[in-house]
Amino acid sequence: MSNVMLDDFIFRTEDIKEEELLDLYVESKMDRENINFIKTKAPLLLVGSRGTGKTMLLRVAEKELDDSFEQERVLCVLVSFKKAIFLEAVEDPQYFRQWMIAKILFTLKRKIEKKGLMLSEPGIFARYFDIGAGQDETLTDRLGGFIKVLEQSSRKRDFDVKNEIRKIMNYDTEDIEILNEVDYLHALVEDLCQVLNIDRLIFLFDEACHNFIPSQQRQFFTLFRDLRSSLISCKAAVYPGITSYGTFQQFHDASVRKVERDLQEPGFVPLMREIVRNQVSDEIYKKLEQQGELFDCLIYAATGNPRLLLKSIYLSTSKSFNSNNVNNTLKEFYRTNIWNEHTKLGEIYRGHKSLVDWGRDFIEKVVLVDTNEKNESRINEGRTQQTIYFAIHRDAPEAVKHAIRILEYSGIVSIETEGTRVRGKVFDRYQINIGIILSTVKTPTLLARNLIQGLSVKLYTDYGMNSPHYQGITHFSEDQVNFNDVIEHVLRISVEGLDITEFQCQRIKEAGFKTLGDILEGSEDNLQKAVNIGPKRARRIWNVAYNATMEYFSG
């Protein structure tokens, strides 16, 4: 299997072309329920760790709504908040809200044009910007220019943001009501729905929270709540645990649905196998099936996360697919790679470092030890029950809960049940990534069979409100983090750490793209200056760099 290449795998949905989307999409019962809910009028938070498929669900829902638009008249608009982090250096916080509204308006206008909806009343957008009837086409350029100015301002010295915006918009932004008051946006949407015979709008925010720093997240959720009307419903994909909601109440202001897959659900293994089948050649898939037990071991190790599964499949099949290579992959990928990514968060976010380090020690030196001892004792006693679960008291120190939330973001643990009772007290029960557990033993594939067949949610270790294991953890505040310093640090990171081939890395370095900042300051087109980097590779490299940057910020 040495012919398997990194480029053969698509690890991120944003790299998938629209016409290829349904060819790669594999649906579970839960996925269908989530997509159907996305299409309803109710506001929604779609919660899931990195790589669990939130973007895929949003894009499939958008496509289905696009395909049924002529009958249903529901217009779905997928809004991207890429480059939000670059606005942190803009002094006036009001600009960030204006930027979000401008992005929504820009994307809405583009979607209407893409659907071929001809406005019977020229200037319906333009009059809200006081630029004259028949000038809607000019507005697209102005909004795009306004967005670009704000995104680039943090990287330029002695840059007069206000003056540059005035040149583009012909007004100061405080004089453009629709960029400041949601009531004007509601009025515009009402006009659009009436003129274009649209029943309602659905705004999908994919990068809503994993692109924003905490203060921006709080502003976003205020806007999310303000946008709600009889004609507008909002849906946002968020990471578990690390999101700052401000006054937005997670369960009162929106419905919450999770995307993590149930390991014990009938059909789990066939579903995950189908995800792999859609990404590899028939020849390679046949060889995977021939070693079905090893294949299933990698599936369970990924704990339902498609991205982790595809990466481990790639690593295991880059040579012969056998037990030796699968064992090495499990130990290297889950014991080294994932933990290294988690530890990097402490290097970038100095204010978080103590929590990141404590969380790793807590899992490796306490939870994994207790879990393995439980499992081993049952095997020795001839009992089949096995566990990947642990529970944290609801009233544990806030720093402990924050450290666990960072572990959720990293994909090392995930919430299994919130608010379960243990001996009359309330705990949150978590599950450890199975790959993490398997990586602690010499031969992971031998442990996998007993662990998976005997898995029982009733077996777990609980850590109380004042557990002695919490000693030494320090208080944490988001205000400890200087995000301007974080931005500068991350943008200086070398491209050598990106998830691209050595050939691609060398070509872009030769073309002058040596850091993440070098890539992100330009566009996909700029990357095509590199030798043998065409449009497809340029898009993938830019997306890899962008997502790597955002994942640093999100921690």
Side-chain angles (χ1 to χ4, degrees):
M1 289 195 182
S2 57
N3 59 328
V4 178
M5 301 294 291
L6 186 64
D7 280 351
D8 293 335
F9 290 87
I10 300 176
F11 298 124
R12 295 182 179 276
T13 305
E14 53 265 40
D15 294 333
I16 302 173
K17 296 179 181 178
E18 184 175 345
E19 59 269 23
E20 299 173 340
L21 187 67
L22 296 185
D23 293 334
L24 295 178
Y25 173 60
V26 179
E27 182 173 278
S28 68
K29 178 183 177 182
M30 179 194 67
D31 292 332
R32 175 42 51 188
E33 291 171 350
N34 282 333
I35 287 174
N36 288 342
F37 199 94
I38 290 169
K39 296 191 285 187
T40 68
K41 294 182 178 180
L44 169 68
L45 300 181
L46 196 63
V47 183
S49 302
R50 293 187 295 178
T52 50
K54 301 183 297 298
T55 301
M56 177 68 82
L57 294 179
L58 293 180
R59 286 192 61 188
V60 171
E62 180 192 27
K63 178 167 178 50
E64 291 184 1
L65 286 167
D66 283 349
D67 291 343
S68 65
F69 178 74
E70 291 302 323
Q71 297 77 37
E72 304 294 333
R73 307 304 291 182
V74 177
L75 187 67
C76 186
V77 184
L78 182 59
V79 182
S80 170
F81 284 136
K82 288 183 176 180
K83 297 192 176 182
I85 193 68
F86 297 112
L87 273 73
E88 169 60 13
V90 179
E91 292 184 2
D92 188 347
Q94 183 64 16
Y95 279 133
F96 180 69
R97 182 178 172 90
Q98 293 170 351
W99 176 83
M100 287 192 292
I101 294 175
K103 293 280 278 189
I104 291 170
L105 291 169
F106 180 86
T107 311
L108 171 60
K109 191 171 185 299
R110 289 286 304 275
K111 186 60 176 276
I112 287 173
E113 293 168 351
K114 183 178 180 181
K115 294 298 293 181
L117 300 173
M118 302 302 293
L119 295 176
S120 60
E121 184 180 341
I124 195 169
F125 275 90
R127 71 182 183 215
Y128 283 91
F129 289 83
D130 195 23
I131 59 176
Q135 298 296 311
D136 275 352
E137 67 282 356
T138 305
L139 177 60
T140 302
D141 294 335
R142 292 189 182 187
L143 285 172
F146 170 71
I147 291 165
K148 190 173 182 179
V149 163
L150 290 177
E151 292 173 350
Q152 293 182 341
S153 61
S154 65
R155 306 292 295 160
K156 297 180 180 180
R157 295 182 179 179
D158 302 323
F159 187 71
D160 188 340
V161 176
K162 190 168 187 177
N163 185 53
E164 292 297 321
I165 291 174
R166 191 184 296 115
K167 290 179 184 178
I168 294 169
M169 305 298 288
N170 292 334
Y171 296 94
D172 292 332
T173 53
E174 57 262 33
D175 296 327
I176 305 175
E177 287 91 346
I178 197 170
L179 293 180
N180 296 280
E181 299 293 337
V182 175
D183 287 346
Y184 288 91
L185 197 153
H186 283 156
L188 169 62
V189 168
E190 185 176 343
D191 290 348
L192 288 171
C193 290
Q194 182 177 358
V195 171
L196 303 178
N197 188 28
I198 296 172
D199 182 67
R200 56 190 172 91
L201 297 180
I202 295 179
F203 288 120
L204 306 180
F205 301 104
D206 185 23
E207 298 100 354
C209 291
H210 39 290
N211 286 359
F212 295 166
I213 61 173
S215 62
Q216 292 174 340
Q217 290 174 5
R218 292 189 286 271
Q219 284 196 66
F220 165 76
F221 280 108
T222 298
L223 179 61
F224 182 101
R225 183 173 53 206
D226 292 345
L227 283 172
R228 184 177 184 179
S229 74
S230 60
L231 297 175
I232 299 175
S233 59
C234 297
K235 325 285 176 169
V238 301
Y239 284 136
I242 65 171
T243 304
S244 294
Y245 292 97
T247 58
F248 184 94
Q249 297 184 43
Q250 189 174 354
F251 291 94
H252 293 284
D253 291 325
S255 297
V256 178
R257 297 186 68 89
K258 297 179 181 179
V259 301
E260 273 86 359
R261 293 163 178 81
D262 185 352
L263 304 177
Q264 297 177 305
E265 180 181 328
F268 169 74
V269 169
L271 176 81
M272 302 304 290
R273 282 191 173 203
E274 189 67 18
I275 290 174
V276 177
R277 177 194 285 273
N278 289 345
Q279 292 255 17
V280 300
S281 68
D282 291 341
E283 179 186 358
I284 292 172
Y285 188 78
K286 183 178 180 180
K287 291 179 179 179
L288 291 172
E289 280 194 316
Q290 289 172 351
Q291 297 282 355
E293 191 169 343
L294 295 179
F295 190 7
D296 292 349
C297 182
L298 291 175
I299 287 172
Y300 278 105
T303 321
N305 186 309
R307 189 180 302 164
L308 294 183
L309 172 59
L310 291 171
K311 286 189 174 183
S312 62
I313 290 289
Y314 163 69
L315 293 170
S316 298
T317 56
S318 58
K319 299 178 181 178
S320 297
F321 187 64
N322 54 41
S323 59
N324 184 54
N325 285 328
V326 170
N327 280 315
N328 288 337
T329 293
L330 289 170
K331 288 186 287 186
E332 181 68 19
F333 184 61
Y334 288 99
R335 190 166 64 196
T336 304
N337 294 15
I338 290 181
W339 276 120
N340 285 347
E341 289 299 312
H342 179 74
T343 302
K344 281 181 186 177
L345 297 176
E347 298 171 1
I348 301 297
Y349 292 92
R350 300 295 181 181
H352 293 66
K353 189 176 188 308
S354 62
L355 293 186
V356 172
D357 293 343
W358 181 89
R360 178 169 186 169
D361 285 345
F362 179 64
I363 295 297
E364 288 191 315
K365 298 179 181 179
V366 179
V367 178
L368 283 174
V369 171
D370 291 344
T371 300
N372 286 335
E373 286 180 354
K374 268 187 169 61
N375 290 335
E376 288 172 11
S377 68
R378 276 157 177 74
I379 290 174
N380 293 336
E381 294 167 3
R383 293 190 283 175
T384 59
Q385 276 189 327
Q386 297 282 279
T387 182
I388 59 172
Y389 307 101
F390 69 98
I392 300 290
H393 196 288
R394 269 289 177 90
D395 294 326
E398 190 60 36
V400 169
K401 292 188 283 185
H402 197 94
I404 298 296
R405 289 195 289 267
I406 296 174
L407 289 162
E408 282 189 82
Y409 165 76
S410 297
I412 292 164
V413 306
S414 58
I415 189 73
E416 194 278 328
T417 303
E418 294 183 82
T420 186
R421 288 200 170 271
V422 181
R423 298 183 298 277
K425 298 177 181 178
V426 180
F427 285 72
D428 289 331
R429 185 165 57 214
Y430 297 86
Q431 65 180 30
I432 312 166
N433 181 291
I434 290 180
I436 297 289
I437 295 177
L438 295 179
S439 70
T440 62
V441 300
K442 184 177 181 181
T443 311
T445 53
L446 294 180
L447 172 62
R449 182 186 301 174
N450 288 331
L451 183 62
I452 293 162
Q453 291 180 350
L455 203 57
S456 172
V457 73
K458 296 180 180 179
L459 181 64
Y460 56 89
T461 305
D462 57 270
Y463 302 93
M465 179 173 61
N466 298 307
S467 170
H469 298 298
Y470 301 157
Q471 293 179 4
I473 193 167
T474 57
H475 174 71
F476 166 79
S477 170
E478 288 173 348
D479 296 333
Q480 292 174 311
V481 181
N482 184 327
F483 282 95
N484 284 327
D485 290 345
V486 172
I487 293 170
E488 291 301 320
H489 180 93
V490 171
L491 293 180
R492 289 195 298 268
I493 292 176
S494 171
V495 297
E496 293 179 359
L498 292 178
D499 195 7
I500 59 179
T501 66
E502 292 183 13
F503 169 82
Q504 292 168 355
C505 183
Q506 187 60 34
R507 293 290 85 82
I508 64 173
K509 285 173 64 179
E510 290 171 356
F513 301 97
K514 298 181 179 179
T515 67
L516 294 181
D518 292 336
I519 294 176
L520 296 182
E521 284 178 355
S523 65
E524 297 171 20
D525 293 340
N526 298 123
L527 285 169
Q528 294 182 49
K529 297 175 184 177
V531 177
N532 292 326
I533 301 297
K536 183 177 179 180
R537 282 178 172 172
R539 165 168 286 191
R540 184 180 185 279
I541 293 169
W542 200 94
N543 282 340
V544 168
Y546 170 76
N547 284 292
T549 306
M550 291 307 110
E551 287 172 0
Y552 277 116
F553 293 144
S554 301

